[in-house]
Amino acid sequence: YDAATKTFVSYDDPQSMAFKAKYIADKGLGGGMFWELSGDTSDYALLDSLNGGIWVGRKPAASICQSNVARPL
């Protein structure tokens, strides 16, 4: 937090994304949402951590597939 500008910046890392994915999976939620992807690494470490964690031990519905997760071009 920068008191002078009253600006707060936070970010996720692969570990925090995995924690969020576990929460989604544990609660049986249908998926997750995030606001900004531009801070991800070139190998999509954040996106992969979220996506992989959501599907651990779960079988996607017939109309949902892991490969349908949008990745930047």
Side-chain angles (χ1 to χ4, degrees):
Y1 178 74
D2 183 337
T5 62
K6 297 184 178 177
T7 303
F8 179 82
V9 177
S10 68
Y11 60 92
D12 285 302
D13 60 15
Q15 183 179 2
S16 65
M17 293 296 272
F19 179 80
K20 292 175 182 186
K22 182 176 180 340
Y23 179 88
I24 291 166
D26 288 350
K27 299 295 182 183
L29 302 176
M33 179 268 181
F34 54 88
W35 188 259
E36 179 63 45
L37 184 62
S38 67
D40 202 352
T41 59
S42 61
D43 63 347
Y44 307 109
L46 297 177
L47 185 61
D48 286 346
S49 183
L50 180 64
N51 186 40
I54 288 174
W55 295 108
V56 170
R58 296 175 72 188
K59 181 179 179 184
S63 63
I64 300 174
C65 177
Q66 279 181 276
S67 64
N68 285 343
V69 174
R71 282 189 150 182
L73 299 175

